[in-house]
Amino acid sequence: MNKIIYAFSMLFLVACNSKKDLRIDLHSFSEPHHVITTHLDLNVEVDFENECISGEARYHIENKTGHKQLILDSHGLQIHKVTSKDKNRNYFLGEKDSILGQPLIIELDKEDDEISVFYRSAPNSKALQWLSPEQTAGKRHPFLFTQSQAILARSWLPCQDSPGVRFTYEAQVKVPNDLLAVMSAENPREKNVDGVYTFKMEQAIPAYLMALGVGNLEFRELGASTGVYAEPALIEKSVYEFAETENMLRIAEEIYGAYAWDRFDILVLPPSFPYGGMENPRLTFVTPTILAGDRSLTSLIAHELAHSWSGNLVTNKTWNDFWLNEGFTVYFERRIMERLEGIAYSDMLSLLGRQDLDHTIETIGHSHSDTHLKLDLSGRDPVEALTDVAYEKGFFLLRLIEQTIGRKQFDFFLKKYFSENAFQVMDTESFVSYINNHLLNEQPKLKEKIRLEDWVYGPGIPENCPTIKSDKFKAVDQAIQSFERGYSLANLDCKHWSSHEWLHFLRHLPRNLTGKDLKKLDVAFNFSKSGNSEILNAWFLRSIPVGYKAAEKPLEQFLMTVGRRKFLKPLYEALYLKNPTKARRIYKNARGNYHSVSRETLDELIL
Ligand code: BES
Ligand code: ZN
């Protein structure tokens, strides 16, 4: 009998599911317009032996339409049972989609205001990277980190995995008792004997900002509201590198208003982290490859900090509106760096960004719709489809508006934009009408100059894109010319060059350099042994096509340890072009060290 009732209710659920699709975000199965999750109580255990996270995710829900079902996203999760206040609820997992995972469809009673899902993550959960001790700095303890953006949170906890669904959370996480757990929440600072840690996040966040890190971690304060977590072997270096963080926070607040997240701490991850940084609220995750020893790569911290406004406070409604997160953040990052280091410095960042953008647009094709700011990612994995366009075309549009309208007025507008839309989502269309209504319509001549819609809905780089001049880069260009004319490298006036100037230098050396030329450069500047990951990367991109021998070992070493996709993709592309067998060999050895995000990109390229 029970079985018959069950079968009928399943049929009913399936029938409900075939109604008209009102979803706003096509990258989530959830239907928050019917039932929305508002708070999460997470109680999980982290099992390093079996490489899984398991436990209970209990959600407070708000049933807006008296709907009969709650839909959560899941990817590879094993569901043990679903209850509401200890009473079982029927559920089933819908059809599998290779990108989106599976909907977890839960039958609701009218009065249900909470739902508990008992689950376990898959051993190969896409969000999780389980590191052996050898893959860490200390070599003695394992490490786990999550990477939820864009749609991977669902692979480590069932959730409505759409940027438009915000929830507060509390968590209890049990880990091996020699490790510390930290989350995108209020965090512990020290290990305790039982390995059980509790967390609280009182500001509502979307699932893509859910984050967990577990490892042999130490905490150090950087300032009153800022600090850093790292393995003991890296903690001193991290404290030195990130010494400006508190300053950055003060500067950011002066520009765009109060910081909404209480603390800004940083977690330094092992080098296999697939990104440079991830703006998990209260606890930014960063790659250790920015520990250059001279604070030269810290604009990345400014970037992740800037997301505390653009992204975490005002959030892109769907991944099609990604530029509202990243373009604003790059603009804001450079404003922070301008205040900190001067305009000559931030202009170098902008010019390097412009070079990246030109290269990306060249690769995608000038008229391709992926060069629009407003994207159409339906049917695609956002993590594969998102490019520099959102970052740098977005930045240049905002810089154009700033230049046209005037900084003072633009700042006033942005401050208001962040405060009026705090803890809400924004899509491109709403932003366009917001800026028209609050800024541009009252100045039709200036509005006409900007041509916002061409930027947002049109391809390529519009011709009114601001140009940026840099005396510093001009000096680098001159140095390159003198090198080309055969002058000795010893005469180059480069003692005070920052890593940005070196990047510009390496990117603009003539295409037809020989092994001999590279050797000369290497002897003079020691590029193959640079401790700066950006410089190493740019150097390898020059050395690979030439087959320059002395850089081969360092390249292999780099590829074996660093998992940052931004470096790996171009390096493997260049290597594959030069020597596919070698590229394949190195990749096969290194693949086990990479996060699924990097692996997926590279598998396509190489295997
Ligand atoms: N939020 C992004 C990282 C991201 C984007 C993860 C899309 C998954 C999907 C982060 O803020 C970022 O942009 N990181 C950059 C560094 C930044 C300085 C441009 C990176 O990882 O290289
Ligand atoms: Zn970003």
Side-chain angles (χ1 to χ4, degrees):
M1 186 63 184
N2 267 349
K3 272 201 182 134
I4 295 173
I5 295 174
Y6 182 76
F8 268 111
S9 58
M10 284 304 120
L11 270 178
F12 176 72
L13 285 181
V14 173
C16 288
N17 234 26
S18 58
K19 275 204 209 121
K20 193 169 171 247
D21 190 349
L22 292 173
R23 288 176 307 145
I24 289 165
D25 177 7
L26 295 178
H27 288 107
S28 170
F29 291 111
S30 65
E31 296 180 340
H33 49 284
H34 286 306
V35 186
I36 190 163
T37 54
T38 56
H39 177 82
L40 164 67
D41 284 299
L42 187 70
N43 187 349
V44 290
E45 180 166 355
V46 175
D47 179 349
F48 276 90
E49 218 161 282
N50 297 301
E51 302 198 338
C52 69
I53 290 178
S54 63
E56 174 187 0
R58 185 167 72 223
Y59 282 104
H60 297 194
I61 59 172
E62 192 192 315
N63 193 338
K64 297 175 179 170
T65 58
H67 211 53
K68 297 273 167 42
Q69 60 185 39
L70 162 68
I71 305 184
L72 300 177
D73 291 293
S74 76
H75 201 146
L77 302 181
Q78 225 182 70
I79 309 297
H80 302 309
K81 66 173 175 177
V82 177
T83 63
S84 180
K85 308 216 167 101
D86 294 331
K87 285 202 211 83
N88 283 338
R89 290 285 170 265
N90 292 329
Y91 67 91
F92 75 102
L93 283 163
E95 207 179 310
K96 257 189 205 152
D97 178 285
S98 64
I99 296 169
L100 304 179
Q102 283 171 289
L104 169 60
I105 301 166
I106 298 166
E107 188 180 334
L108 293 180
D109 261 14
K110 251 210 213 100
E111 312 73 43
D112 284 346
D113 56 5
E114 64 167 64
I115 282 289
S116 282
V117 181
F118 295 82
Y119 76 99
R120 173 191 172 118
S121 67
N124 54 358
S125 158
K126 287 178 183 239
L128 304 179
Q129 193 171 8
W130 302 89
L131 299 173
S132 66
E134 300 72 50
Q135 290 170 293
T136 67
K139 316 274 179 220
R140 295 235 305 275
H141 299 270
F143 203 107
L144 164 71
F145 64 82
T146 63
Q147 169 55 42
S148 299
Q149 196 183 13
I151 56 169
L152 301 181
R154 62 191 71 175
S155 76
W156 70 279
L157 75 160
C159 56
Q160 292 190 315
D161 197 3
S162 177
V165 180
R166 301 183 93 95
F167 50 90
T168 50
Y169 77 86
E170 280 172 53
Q172 178 173 318
V173 181
K174 179 161 176 35
V175 302
N177 59 12
D178 50 353
L179 302 180
L180 179 67
V182 285
M183 292 189 81
S184 50
E186 200 176 322
N187 274 306
R189 294 196 173 172
E190 274 173 17
K191 289 181 199 162
N192 62 37
V193 282
D194 56 5
V196 176
Y197 298 93
T198 55
F199 303 89
K200 199 173 199 169
M201 184 55 170
E202 286 178 322
Q203 293 97 331
I205 59 167
Y208 82 87
L209 296 175
M210 286 296 293
L212 170 68
V214 182
N216 181 27
L217 294 170
E218 249 181 54
F219 174 79
R220 283 288 194 79
E221 251 171 31
L222 295 168
S225 313
T226 54
V228 61
Y229 292 86
E231 287 187 65
L234 292 179
I235 194 81
E236 291 297 341
K237 206 173 175 194
S238 304
V239 169
Y240 175 81
E241 206 76 30
F242 304 139
E244 291 289 3
T245 308
E246 187 81 19
N247 253 338
M248 288 180 177
L249 177 57
R250 297 290 155 247
I251 291 171
E253 284 194 297
E254 271 174 39
I255 306 181
Y256 293 131
Y259 180 71
W261 310 90
D262 301 333
R263 290 196 57 83
F264 180 80
D265 293 326
I266 299 168
L267 170 62
V268 179
L269 292 158
S272 62
F273 186 56
Y275 294 104
M278 176 64 215
E279 66 273 24
N280 299 314
R282 298 186 70 120
L283 185 65
T284 273
F285 284 21
V286 301
T287 168
T289 62
I290 56 168
L291 299 172
D294 59 2
R295 301 178 181 162
S296 61
L297 303 178
T298 51
S299 62
L300 187 136
I301 301 295
H303 179 96
E304 305 313 334
L305 171 65
H307 272 303
S308 307
W309 286 262
S310 40
N312 298 4
L313 208 53
V314 181
T315 305
N316 54 203
K317 188 168 188 174
T318 73
W319 300 112
N320 294 336
D321 308 301
F322 186 59
W323 78 278
L324 293 177
N325 274 20
E326 296 299 344
F328 277 71
T329 296
V330 172
Y331 173 79
F332 196 4
E333 162 204 331
R334 291 181 186 152
R335 290 291 304 275
I336 296 170
M337 293 315 287
E338 179 189 321
R339 277 282 303 277
L340 203 63
E341 301 284 349
I343 186 134
Y345 186 99
S346 54
D347 277 351
M348 286 196 286
L349 297 176
S350 306
L351 276 168
L352 291 171
R354 176 65 201 255
Q355 292 164 17
D356 292 334
L357 178 62
D358 288 341
H359 180 254
T360 302
I361 290 191
E362 202 61 48
T363 317
I364 307 178
H366 290 255
S367 53
H368 197 288
S369 58
D370 281 355
T371 67
H372 301 186
L373 285 176
K374 172 81 187 189
L375 296 168
D376 177 8
L377 302 177
S378 48
R380 291 196 279 167
D381 183 347
V383 148
E384 293 297 325
L386 297 169
T387 71
D388 279 346
V389 169
Y391 290 77
E392 297 296 344
K393 185 176 174 184
F395 162 78
F396 278 100
L397 167 59
L398 296 175
R399 174 124 174 178
L400 171 68
I401 300 173
E402 179 208 297
Q403 277 181 6
T404 311
I405 299 283
R407 177 172 280 191
K408 207 162 158 207
Q409 233 196 330
F410 190 45
D411 277 352
F412 183 80
F413 163 80
L414 283 178
K415 212 167 183 170
K416 188 170 142 107
Y417 168 73
F418 289 126
S419 80
E420 284 186 358
N421 296 290
F423 296 103
Q424 289 171 45
V425 280
M426 181 63 64
D427 61 15
T428 303
E429 296 70 21
S430 310
F431 172 72
V432 169
S433 71
Y434 187 91
I435 193 170
N436 280 336
N437 291 336
H438 291 85
L439 189 69
L440 302 180
N441 286 347
E442 59 210 47
Q443 313 181 69
K445 285 217 175 92
L446 301 182
K447 182 180 178 186
E448 176 48 34
K449 268 192 176 166
I450 294 167
R451 294 201 306 276
L452 182 60
E453 314 234 338
D454 291 354
W455 277 82
V456 171
Y457 302 113
I461 306 174
E463 79 224 5
N464 60 354
C465 184
T467 48
I468 293 169
K469 293 204 173 70
S470 161
D471 289 338
K472 289 188 182 285
F473 279 3
K474 217 186 266 162
V476 176
D477 293 335
Q478 277 158 7
I480 292 173
Q481 277 169 19
S482 73
F483 172 63
E484 278 186 281
R485 291 198 198 106
Y487 292 117
S488 158
L489 288 167
N491 296 336
L492 281 198
D493 182 18
C494 57
K495 285 226 169 47
H496 303 290
W497 282 5
S498 66
S499 66
H500 314 301
E501 279 136 315
W502 283 115
L503 274 190
H504 185 73
F505 179 78
L506 287 166
R507 288 178 180 190
H508 291 85
L509 285 170
R511 294 288 117 189
N512 56 355
L513 293 184
T514 62
K516 260 197 188 143
D517 295 324
L518 290 190
K519 180 145 195 91
K520 257 196 249 163
L521 288 162
D522 209 8
V523 168
F525 305 122
N526 228 344
F527 290 129
S528 296
K529 297 207 176 87
S530 173
N532 184 303
S533 58
E534 293 281 351
I535 291 177
L536 261 184
N537 177 57
W539 172 243
F540 292 146
L541 287 174
R542 305 314 307 264
S543 71
I544 293 169
V546 180
Y548 172 62
K549 277 269 174 297
E552 286 179 359
K553 273 229 169 77
L555 168 66
E556 203 164 332
Q557 175 62 24
F558 189 83
L559 294 174
M560 283 303 291
T561 48
V562 174
R564 193 172 166 190
R565 190 173 64 163
K566 176 185 113 167
F567 292 148
L568 296 182
K569 189 164 179 251
L571 287 176
Y572 274 109
E573 271 167 354
L575 197 58
Y576 192 81
L577 205 64
K578 179 78 180 169
N579 184 345
T581 322
K582 184 169 175 185
R584 239 179 263 125
R585 175 181 63 75
I586 297 181
Y587 182 55
K588 282 197 173 135
N589 285 335
R591 189 176 181 277
N593 293 337
Y594 301 153
H595 186 274
S596 74
V597 158
S598 296
R599 257 191 255 154
E600 270 167 35
T601 304
L602 297 172
D603 282 356
E604 214 168 283
L605 207 80
I606 291 171
L607 293 185

